[in-house]
Amino acid sequence: MKIYTDKRLLSCGLIGGTLSRHSGNMREIANQIPVYKELGLNPQHILHFHQIHSDTIISISSPQGAQEISQKPVQDADAWLLSPFPSNWGAAIVTADCVPLFLWDDTGSYAALAHCGWRGVVQGLPGKTARELLQVTPRLHLNAWLGPHIQACCFEVQEDVAKQFSADALIHKNGKIFVDLNFEIKRQLTQADVPEKNIQTPYYCTCGDKENFFSWRRDHEKNLLLSFLYKP
Ligand SMILES: [Zn+2]
């Protein structure tokens, strides 16, 4: 199993990251279960939602709350707020080009996992998620990691999409327009008071790296990568 992750998650007491395509298509929850088992995580304690490219956040603040959500039919949303993060629970999202955004504090007690497609980004989902997390205690020291997603090298857009971003998130090259999602998400996070030095944006391009990732843009297939965040 190949997991892209940020070492800071583990040092803050959390397990999480994004799996490479070698683990298979993670669209169905049933396909995710062997992964959780292999990692020693309880599959029944991993929360799922139905992603709709919105700015809707589901907030979990207790083991009881997590239990309730896990027993209800899946809801429409694009971000999990785990605040405080109940032990022995976790949350999952699936992506193929969209950004898996991880946010957490130094103690691993407050965290969020968001599915940020370009539509979620222009609706301000990254900033909104960070602000909601900081509402608990404005003195939280937040960290952020952006998992594998489509990078500016491949994210060419037409004018209709480009005009929804600010000019400095766009790259013009050979008459084409590309969107830099890292730039825009980093801007939203810093505006929400996440220190810039705590935001890691490694350059893993789902579209450009066929060996490791699924990409909607490249393949137009319904294969999805799994990202998860779990507090042991
Ligand atoms: Zn690329």
Side-chain angles (χ1 to χ4, degrees):
M1 185 186 311
K2 186 168 177 183
I3 304 181
Y4 291 81
T5 187
D6 182 324
K7 281 185 220 147
R8 297 174 303 161
L9 280 169
L10 204 55
S11 64
C12 296
L14 299 172
I15 301 172
T18 304
L19 267 66
S20 74
R21 65 181 290 169
H22 304 98
S23 294
N25 176 15
M26 294 292 156
R27 175 173 288 272
E28 304 301 330
I29 294 171
N31 295 348
Q32 302 175 14
I33 290 174
V35 172
Y36 302 137
K37 287 190 172 161
E38 191 176 335
L39 292 167
L41 313 178
N42 181 350
Q44 277 161 0
H45 279 202
I46 297 190
L47 305 170
H48 304 271
F49 50 37
H50 175 240
Q51 300 169 182
I52 52 167
H53 294 282
S54 69
D55 64 348
T56 306
I57 300 172
I58 297 181
S59 189
I60 305 292
S61 56
S62 66
Q64 294 76 17
Q67 190 76 45
E68 265 171 44
I69 294 280
S70 71
Q71 286 166 350
K72 279 198 265 184
V74 289
Q75 301 178 53
D76 290 347
D78 287 280
W80 293 108
L81 207 69
L82 304 145
S83 168
F85 203 150
S87 291
N88 197 27
W89 281 93
I93 61 166
V94 281
T95 62
D97 292 342
C98 294
V99 183
L101 170 64
F102 295 73
L103 289 166
W104 70 99
D105 83 309
D106 281 346
T107 67
S109 304
Y110 300 90
L113 177 62
H115 160 254
C116 303
W118 71 263
R119 290 181 186 82
V121 173
V122 298
Q123 289 172 77
L125 179 62
K128 186 178 168 185
T129 307
R131 279 194 303 277
E132 289 211 8
L133 206 49
L134 286 163
Q135 258 174 16
V136 192
T137 152
R139 295 168 69 184
L140 277 186
H141 188 246
L142 283 189
N143 303 295
W145 183 71
L146 280 62
H149 61 274
I150 190 166
Q151 303 283 348
C153 46
C154 295
F155 194 18
E156 185 190 351
V157 297
Q158 303 303 314
E159 192 57 46
D160 59 327
V161 172
K163 71 182 182 197
Q164 300 184 54
F165 286 87
S166 67
D168 45 8
L170 303 176
I171 296 163
H172 295 265
K173 205 170 154 186
N174 306 329
K176 296 174 178 174
I177 315 171
F178 300 85
V179 171
D180 184 348
L181 290 170
N182 284 339
F183 178 92
E184 177 55 30
I185 293 175
K186 204 166 182 177
R187 189 224 319 268
Q188 290 186 23
L189 295 178
T190 50
Q191 281 178 353
D193 269 345
V194 180
E196 192 174 353
K197 66 177 175 56
N198 294 0
I199 304 170
Q200 296 292 327
T201 57
Y203 207 92
Y204 299 120
C205 183
T206 47
C207 186
D209 183 350
K210 189 170 184 176
E211 193 189 323
N212 288 301
F213 305 117
F214 295 127
S215 166
W216 169 257
R217 168 72 60 122
R218 185 190 61 226
D219 300 329
H220 295 283
E221 289 171 355
K222 293 188 169 181
N223 292 330
L224 296 171
L225 304 166
L226 172 67
S227 293
F228 67 97
L229 188 57
Y230 196 95
K231 186 178 170 71

Coordinates of all heavy atoms in Angstrom, one line a residue, residues 97 99 116-118 121-122 126 146 149-157 161-162 165-172 177-188 201-203:
D97 N -8.5 14.4 -8.9 CA -8.1 15.7 -9.4 C -8.5 16.8 -8.3 O -7.8 17.8 -8.2 CB -8.7 16.2 -10.7 CG -8.1 15.4 -11.9 OD1 -7.0 14.8 -11.7 OD2 -8.7 15.4 -13.0
V99 N -8.9 18.6 -4.6 CA -7.9 18.7 -3.5 C -8.4 18.0 -2.2 O -9.4 18.4 -1.7 CB -7.5 20.1 -3.3 CG1 -6.4 20.2 -2.2 CG2 -7.1 20.9 -4.5
C116 N -12.0 19.5 -1.8 CA -12.1 20.8 -2.5 C -11.9 20.7 -4.0 O -10.7 20.7 -4.5 CB -11.0 21.7 -1.9 SG -11.1 21.9 -0.1
G117 N -13.0 20.6 -4.7 CA -12.9 20.7 -6.2 C -12.8 22.2 -6.5 O -12.9 23.1 -5.6
W118 N -12.6 22.6 -7.7 CA -12.5 24.0 -8.0 C -13.8 24.8 -7.6 O -13.8 25.9 -7.2 CB -12.1 24.3 -9.5 CG -13.2 24.0 -10.5 CD1 -13.3 22.9 -11.3 CD2 -14.3 24.9 -10.9 NE1 -14.4 23.0 -12.1 CE2 -15.0 24.2 -11.9 CE3 -14.7 26.2 -10.6 CZ2 -16.1 24.8 -12.5 CZ3 -15.8 26.7 -11.2 CH2 -16.5 26.0 -12.1
V121 N -13.6 25.4 -4.0 CA -12.6 26.4 -3.8 C -13.2 27.8 -4.1 O -13.0 28.7 -3.2 CB -11.3 26.2 -4.6 CG1 -10.4 27.3 -4.5 CG2 -10.7 24.9 -4.1
V122 N -13.9 28.0 -5.2 CA -14.4 29.3 -5.5 C -15.6 29.7 -4.5 O -15.9 30.9 -4.3 CB -14.9 29.5 -7.0 CG1 -13.7 29.4 -7.9 CG2 -16.0 28.6 -7.4
P126 N -12.2 26.0 1.6 CA -11.0 25.9 2.4 C -10.9 26.9 3.5 O -10.7 26.5 4.7 CB -9.8 26.1 1.4 CG -10.4 25.7 0.1 CD -11.8 26.1 0.1
L146 N -2.0 19.7 1.7 CA -2.8 19.5 0.5 C -2.4 18.3 -0.2 O -1.2 18.2 -0.7 CB -2.7 20.7 -0.5 CG -3.6 21.9 -0.2 CD1 -3.2 22.6 1.1 CD2 -3.5 23.0 -1.3
H149 N -3.4 16.3 -6.1 CA -4.6 16.8 -6.9 C -4.1 17.3 -8.2 O -2.9 17.3 -8.5 CB -5.3 17.9 -6.1 CG -4.4 19.1 -5.8 ND1 -3.6 19.1 -4.7 CD2 -4.2 20.2 -6.5 CE1 -2.9 20.3 -4.7 NE2 -3.3 21.0 -5.7
I150 N -4.9 17.8 -9.0 CA -4.5 18.4 -10.3 C -3.8 19.7 -10.1 O -4.3 20.6 -9.4 CB -5.7 18.5 -11.3 CG1 -5.1 18.8 -12.7 CG2 -6.7 19.5 -10.9 CD1 -6.2 18.6 -13.8
Q151 N -2.5 19.7 -10.6 CA -1.7 20.9 -10.4 C -1.8 21.9 -11.5 O -2.4 21.5 -12.6 CB -0.3 20.5 -10.1 CG -0.1 19.5 -9.0 CD -0.1 20.2 -7.6 OE1 -0.1 21.4 -7.5 NE2 -0.2 19.3 -6.6
A152 N -1.2 23.0 -11.4 CA -1.3 24.1 -12.4 C -0.7 23.6 -13.7 O -1.2 24.1 -14.8 CB -0.6 25.3 -11.9
C153 N 0.2 22.6 -13.7 CA 0.7 22.2 -15.0 C -0.4 21.6 -15.9 O -0.2 21.6 -17.2 CB 1.8 21.1 -14.8 SG 1.3 19.8 -13.6
C154 N -1.4 21.0 -15.3 CA -2.4 20.3 -16.1 C -3.8 20.9 -16.0 O -4.7 20.6 -16.8 CB -2.5 18.9 -15.7 SG -1.0 17.9 -16.0
F155 N -4.0 21.8 -15.1 CA -5.4 22.3 -14.9 C -5.7 23.5 -15.8 O -5.9 24.6 -15.3 CB -5.6 22.7 -13.4 CG -7.0 22.9 -13.0 CD1 -8.1 22.4 -13.8 CD2 -7.4 23.5 -11.9 CE1 -9.4 22.5 -13.5 CE2 -8.7 23.7 -11.5 CZ -9.7 23.2 -12.3
E156 N -5.8 23.2 -17.1 CA -6.2 24.2 -18.1 C -7.7 24.4 -18.0 O -8.5 23.5 -17.9 CB -5.8 23.8 -19.5 CG -6.1 24.8 -20.5 CD -6.0 24.3 -21.9 OE1 -5.5 23.2 -22.2 OE2 -6.4 25.1 -22.8
V157 N -8.1 25.7 -18.0 CA -9.6 26.0 -17.9 C -9.9 27.0 -19.0 O -9.1 27.6 -19.6 CB -9.9 26.6 -16.6 CG1 -9.7 25.7 -15.4 CG2 -9.2 28.0 -16.3
V161 N -14.6 29.4 -16.3 CA -14.0 28.9 -15.0 C -13.0 30.0 -14.5 O -13.0 30.4 -13.4 CB -13.4 27.5 -15.1 CG1 -12.7 27.2 -13.8 CG2 -14.5 26.5 -15.4
A162 N -12.1 30.4 -15.4 CA -11.1 31.3 -15.1 C -11.6 32.6 -14.4 O -11.0 33.0 -13.4 CB -10.2 31.7 -16.3
F165 N -12.0 32.9 -10.6 CA -10.8 33.0 -9.7 C -10.2 34.4 -9.8 O -10.4 35.0 -10.9 CB -9.7 31.9 -10.2 CG -10.1 30.5 -9.8 CD1 -10.8 29.7 -10.7 CD2 -9.6 30.0 -8.6 CE1 -11.2 28.4 -10.3 CE2 -9.9 28.7 -8.3 CZ -10.7 27.9 -9.1
S166 N -9.5 34.7 -8.8 CA -8.8 36.0 -8.9 C -7.6 35.9 -9.9 O -7.1 34.8 -10.0 CB -8.3 36.5 -7.5 OG -7.3 35.7 -7.1
A167 N -7.2 37.0 -10.5 CA -6.2 37.0 -11.5 C -4.9 36.4 -11.1 O -4.2 35.7 -11.9 CB -6.0 38.4 -12.1
D168 N -4.6 36.5 -9.8 CA -3.2 36.0 -9.4 C -3.2 34.5 -9.1 O -2.2 34.0 -8.8 CB -2.7 36.8 -8.2 CG -3.7 37.1 -7.1 OD1 -4.8 36.5 -7.2 OD2 -3.4 37.8 -6.1
A169 N -4.4 33.9 -9.2 CA -4.4 32.4 -9.1 C -4.4 31.8 -10.5 O -4.4 30.6 -10.7 CB -5.7 31.9 -8.4
L170 N -4.3 32.6 -11.6 CA -4.2 32.1 -12.9 C -2.9 32.2 -13.6 O -2.1 33.1 -13.2 CB -5.2 32.9 -13.8 CG -6.7 32.9 -13.3 CD1 -7.5 33.9 -14.2 CD2 -7.3 31.5 -13.3
I171 N -2.5 31.2 -14.4 CA -1.3 31.3 -15.1 C -1.6 31.3 -16.6 O -2.3 30.4 -17.1 CB -0.4 30.0 -14.7 CG1 0.0 30.1 -13.3 CG2 0.8 30.0 -15.6 CD1 0.4 28.8 -12.7
H172 N -1.1 32.3 -17.3 CA -1.3 32.4 -18.8 C -0.1 31.9 -19.5 O 1.0 32.3 -19.2 CB -1.6 33.8 -19.2 CG -2.9 34.3 -18.5 ND1 -4.1 34.3 -19.2 CD2 -3.2 34.8 -17.3 CE1 -5.1 34.7 -18.4 NE2 -4.5 35.1 -17.2
I177 N -5.1 29.2 -20.4 CA -5.2 29.6 -19.0 C -5.2 28.4 -18.1 O -5.9 27.4 -18.3 CB -6.5 30.4 -18.7 CG1 -6.8 31.4 -19.8 CG2 -6.5 31.1 -17.4 CD1 -8.2 32.0 -19.7
F178 N -4.4 28.5 -17.0 CA -4.3 27.4 -16.0 C -4.6 28.0 -14.7 O -4.3 29.1 -14.4 CB -2.9 26.8 -16.0 CG -2.5 26.2 -17.3 CD1 -1.9 27.0 -18.3 CD2 -2.6 24.8 -17.6 CE1 -1.5 26.5 -19.6 CE2 -2.3 24.3 -18.8 CZ -1.7 25.1 -19.8
V179 N -5.2 27.1 -13.8 CA -5.5 27.6 -12.4 C -4.6 26.9 -11.5 O -4.3 25.7 -11.5 CB -7.0 27.2 -12.0 CG1 -7.2 27.4 -10.6 CG2 -8.0 27.9 -12.9
D180 N -4.1 27.7 -10.5 CA -3.2 27.3 -9.5 C -4.0 27.1 -8.2 O -4.1 28.1 -7.4 CB -2.0 28.2 -9.3 CG -1.0 27.8 -8.3 OD1 -1.3 26.8 -7.6 OD2 0.1 28.4 -8.2
L181 N -4.5 25.9 -8.0 CA -5.4 25.7 -6.8 C -4.6 25.8 -5.5 O -5.1 26.3 -4.5 CB -6.0 24.3 -6.8 CG -7.1 24.1 -7.9 CD1 -7.5 22.6 -8.0 CD2 -8.3 25.0 -7.6
N182 N -3.3 25.4 -5.5 CA -2.4 25.6 -4.3 C -2.4 27.1 -3.9 O -2.6 27.4 -2.7 CB -1.0 25.2 -4.6 CG -0.8 23.7 -4.7 OD1 -1.6 22.9 -4.1 ND2 0.2 23.2 -5.3
F183 N -2.2 27.9 -4.9 CA -2.1 29.4 -4.6 C -3.4 29.9 -3.9 O -3.4 30.5 -2.9 CB -1.8 30.1 -5.8 CG -1.8 31.6 -5.6 CD1 -0.5 32.2 -5.4 CD2 -2.9 32.4 -5.7 CE1 -0.5 33.6 -5.1 CE2 -2.8 33.8 -5.5 CZ -1.6 34.4 -5.2
E184 N -4.6 29.5 -4.5 CA -5.8 30.0 -4.0 C -6.2 29.5 -2.7 O -6.7 30.2 -1.8 CB -7.0 29.7 -5.1 CG -8.3 30.1 -4.6 CD -8.5 31.6 -4.3 OE1 -7.7 32.4 -4.8 OE2 -9.3 31.9 -3.4
I185 N -5.9 28.2 -2.5 CA -6.2 27.6 -1.2 C -5.3 28.1 -0.1 O -5.8 28.5 1.0 CB -6.1 26.0 -1.2 CG1 -7.2 25.5 -2.2 CG2 -6.2 25.4 0.2 CD1 -7.2 24.0 -2.4
K186 N -4.1 28.3 -0.4 CA -3.1 28.9 0.5 C -3.6 30.3 0.9 O -3.5 30.7 2.1 CB -1.7 28.9 -0.1 CG -0.6 29.0 0.9 CD 0.7 28.6 0.2 CE 1.9 28.6 1.2 NZ 3.1 28.2 0.5
R187 N -4.0 31.1 0.0 CA -4.5 32.4 0.2 C -5.7 32.4 1.2 O -5.7 33.1 2.2 CB -4.9 33.1 -1.0 CG -5.2 34.6 -0.8 CD -6.5 35.1 -1.5 NE -6.7 34.7 -2.8 CZ -6.2 35.3 -3.9 NH1 -5.5 36.4 -3.8 NH2 -6.5 34.8 -5.1
Q188 N -6.7 31.5 0.9 CA -7.8 31.4 1.8 C -7.4 31.0 3.2 O -8.0 31.5 4.2 CB -8.9 30.4 1.3 CG -9.5 30.9 0.0 CD -10.6 29.9 -0.4 OE1 -11.2 29.2 0.3 NE2 -11.0 30.0 -1.7
T201 N 2.2 22.3 0.6 CA 1.5 22.0 -0.7 C 2.5 21.2 -1.6 O 3.0 21.8 -2.6 CB 1.1 23.3 -1.4 OG1 2.3 24.1 -1.6 CG2 0.2 24.2 -0.6
P202 N 2.7 19.9 -1.3 CA 3.6 19.2 -2.2 C 3.1 19.0 -3.6 O 1.8 19.0 -3.8 CB 3.6 17.8 -1.5 CG 2.4 17.7 -0.7 CD 2.0 19.1 -0.3
Y203 N 4.0 19.0 -4.5 CA 3.5 19.0 -5.9 C 3.3 17.6 -6.5 O 4.2 17.1 -7.2 CB 4.6 19.8 -6.8 CG 4.0 20.4 -8.0 CD1 3.5 21.8 -8.0 CD2 3.9 19.8 -9.2 CE1 2.9 22.3 -9.1 CE2 3.3 20.3 -10.3 CZ 2.9 21.6 -10.3 OH 2.3 22.2 -11.4

